[in-house]
Amino acid sequence: MEQYEPGRPTPAQLAAMRRGARAGAPRDRSAFSRRSLLRATGGGALAVGALGTVTACGIPPAAGNVQAGASEDHSAKEKRLSFSNWTEYMDLSEDKKSRPTLDAFQRRTGIKVKYTEDINDNVEFFGKIKPQLAAGQDTGRDLICVTDWLAARLIRFGWVQKLDPANLPHAYSNLSPQFRNPDWDPGRAYSYPWQGISTVIAYNAKATKGKEVTSVRQLLEDPALKGRVGFLSEMRDSVGMTLLDSGKDPGDFTDDDFDAAVARIQQGVDNGQIRRFTGNDYTSDLESGDLAACLAWAGDVVQLSAGTPDVRFHIPDGGYLTSSDNLLVPNKARHKTNAERLIDYYYEPKVAAGLAAWINFVCPVDGVRAELAEIDKEAADNPLIVPDAAMAAKSRSFRSLTSEEEARYEAAFAKLTT
């Protein structure tokens, strides 16, 4: 039985959730709306009860339940599939009337895709699909895209289907090594990443008078930055980066390690070093220089630096956090093979390049750089979109948490951020 204590999101989380689309975004798109919702209402919001009390009593683990979710695959006779994704997470034509990569898949395969941007945050979407999945019913979706912590929970509950490697030759061959073996889905038996999300250090060089900001220690201790530092309201990012700065592995840490990291952040709060905790509403303050430096998400930094050259980033020597949004096939989906064909299609480097050029998140596809360079050389050379070997080697992931750990850790972090 898993139970999450009722509570409320922190003020910082609520502020991020309220943030609307950022005006004047490159290519006139809402570059930041999805990220603020995703990270502000991630695992932490569920743990502290954004849905009230959420329970999953008597649900067997994936190993004992997953085959119960298998159903007859109608892909051969029904050339269609239903794909639920986040907003602003698929390429659009310049006139915004078509989706080039998705349209090309439909023309090539004859499979009609019902593409719906009905995921606004993980918690809300979990609430939508939980009743059907728990009852062993079809959700009406053949493919979904959720963040790693929720993907882990769905796999653990046995609510998603194991993928067939025979239908995923490009995905198997071209998946970037840094995404191959998450502890919640070793070898990617049930999921493939849609995009990666990196947490880095960002700073405004004008606000720091040309001084680089290169570590969490500097964020927490440099007197020149006092009162102008931002940390993230997402527990995994802020604590994970602090763990790395302390020489600890966010993929393998103890309660004592966690408590020590929180204590370091608490000291930054108490002495006024940290100005505030944010969703991605840090972007306007970083752009203006009101925040001199902060923890930031790479997709935001790419967008900001395009219009504000003073906004720069640094990858700490100790490493950085990477998470991912992942494609999964829910139990009872009618068109599993069609869904697998779509997953595999987006692991063709040329297709992945078309998507990456528009999205600007971390592309999980090896071999994409050359194809992306033909579309946008600047994007191809940006390690925040296509990590080079040195950056990939520094990538670390926050380990999966038990329900008890998640509740305790989020509660401790919520006290700190308020």
Side-chain angles (χ1 to χ4, degrees):
M1 172 175 175
E2 293 208 357
Q3 183 166 335
Y4 302 90
E5 297 298 324
R8 301 291 300 169
T10 67
Q13 290 172 332
L14 290 170
M17 292 162 63
R18 287 192 296 267
R19 178 176 171 77
R22 181 176 179 267
R27 303 181 194 175
D28 192 30
R29 53 194 169 94
S30 304
F32 304 113
S33 58
R34 200 196 83 77
R35 180 55 41 211
S36 63
L37 284 167
L38 168 63
R39 304 306 281 173
T41 60
L46 179 57
V48 298
L51 287 175
T53 301
V54 180
T55 62
C57 302
I59 298 171
N65 191 41
V66 70
Q67 293 308 314
S71 61
E72 183 180 355
D73 190 353
H74 298 265
S75 293
K77 294 181 179 179
E78 300 177 359
K79 305 293 280 186
R80 61 180 184 267
L81 72 92
S82 178
F83 178 12
S84 284
N85 203 355
W86 298 81
T87 58
E88 305 295 337
Y89 222 19
M90 178 69 74
D91 52 306
L92 277 171
S93 61
E94 290 299 323
D95 62 9
K96 298 185 179 181
K97 293 182 178 179
S98 65
R99 301 184 184 278
T101 60
L102 194 60
D103 292 346
F105 171 80
Q106 294 181 96
R107 289 193 300 268
R108 180 199 294 186
T109 63
I111 298 170
K112 184 178 180 180
V113 181
K114 179 185 177 183
Y115 181 74
T116 308
E117 294 183 335
D118 61 343
I119 305 179
N120 294 309
D121 68 73
N122 287 289
V123 173
E124 180 186 61
F125 188 64
F126 181 65
K128 287 181 182 180
I129 63 176
K130 178 180 178 285
Q132 293 99 324
L133 291 174
Q137 299 171 352
D138 182 7
T139 66
R141 300 168 176 86
D142 300 298
L143 192 63
I144 61 174
C145 182
V146 298
T147 307
D148 44 18
W149 68 265
L150 182 52
R153 178 168 293 119
L154 295 175
I155 292 170
R156 187 166 69 249
F157 286 177
W159 287 353
V160 293
Q161 299 189 52
K162 194 170 186 178
L163 302 175
D164 185 351
N167 295 328
L168 298 160
H170 295 100
Y172 181 82
S173 299
N174 296 333
L175 177 59
S176 180
Q178 75 183 86
F179 294 101
R180 282 191 177 272
N181 285 294
D183 65 354
W184 47 269
D185 187 17
R188 292 288 181 177
Y190 298 92
S191 69
Y192 268 90
W194 176 248
Q195 296 291 296
I197 307 158
S198 296
T199 305
V200 299
I201 291 175
Y203 63 98
N204 185 313
K206 185 176 181 180
T208 64
K209 298 180 180 180
K211 184 178 182 180
E212 290 187 334
V213 181
T214 62
S215 69
V216 171
R217 182 176 300 277
Q218 193 173 351
L219 290 176
L220 290 173
E221 298 178 9
D222 187 343
L225 301 177
K226 187 171 183 177
R228 298 186 297 156
V229 169
F231 267 57
L232 293 168
S233 57
E234 164 57 38
M235 180 272 290
R236 288 164 176 80
D237 291 304
S238 287
V239 174
M241 290 292 283
T242 306
L243 284 167
L244 282 169
D245 188 75
S246 303
K248 303 296 182 179
D249 182 358
D252 183 19
F253 62 89
T254 65
D255 284 350
D256 288 343
D257 296 332
F258 175 87
D259 291 341
V262 168
R264 286 188 65 193
I265 301 171
Q266 183 68 63
Q267 185 175 8
V269 172
D270 293 343
N271 64 20
Q273 185 76 7
I274 296 174
R275 180 171 181 169
R276 64 192 184 103
F277 292 84
T278 71
N280 79 337
D281 48 335
Y282 62 79
T283 54
S284 57
D285 284 347
L286 181 63
E287 190 173 34
S288 68
D290 288 342
L291 282 179
C294 62
L295 295 180
W297 293 303
D300 292 347
V301 177
V302 172
Q303 296 290 340
L304 281 174
S305 61
T308 308
D310 286 327
V311 173
R312 303 173 189 177
F313 75 94
H314 188 84
I315 305 299
D317 291 340
Y320 66 100
L321 261 292
T322 297
S323 55
S324 58
D325 292 329
N326 307 275
L327 300 172
L328 304 98
V329 178
N331 283 356
K332 300 298 182 181
R334 288 178 60 88
H335 310 105
K336 178 173 179 284
T337 297
N338 290 344
E340 290 167 338
R341 291 183 68 182
L342 183 64
I343 295 172
D344 196 62
Y345 168 77
Y346 277 100
Y347 274 81
E348 296 178 20
K350 187 172 183 177
V351 177
L355 182 65
W358 203 90
I359 292 180
N360 291 163
F361 284 90
V362 181
C363 182
V365 180
D366 260 357
V368 75
R369 187 186 302 275
E371 297 288 352
L372 183 55
E374 295 186 9
I375 303 172
D376 186 338
K377 189 176 186 304
E378 185 178 348
D381 292 337
N382 191 328
L384 296 183
I385 300 175
V386 185
D388 55 24
M391 184 167 176
K394 293 182 178 181
S395 172
R396 300 290 184 270
S397 297
F398 201 94
R399 69 171 172 82
S400 297
L401 302 177
T402 66
S403 57
E404 292 80 9
E405 286 176 326
E406 189 170 58
R408 187 177 88 80
Y409 292 173
E410 289 288 356
F413 191 73
K415 290 180 180 179
L416 183 154
T417 59
T418 56

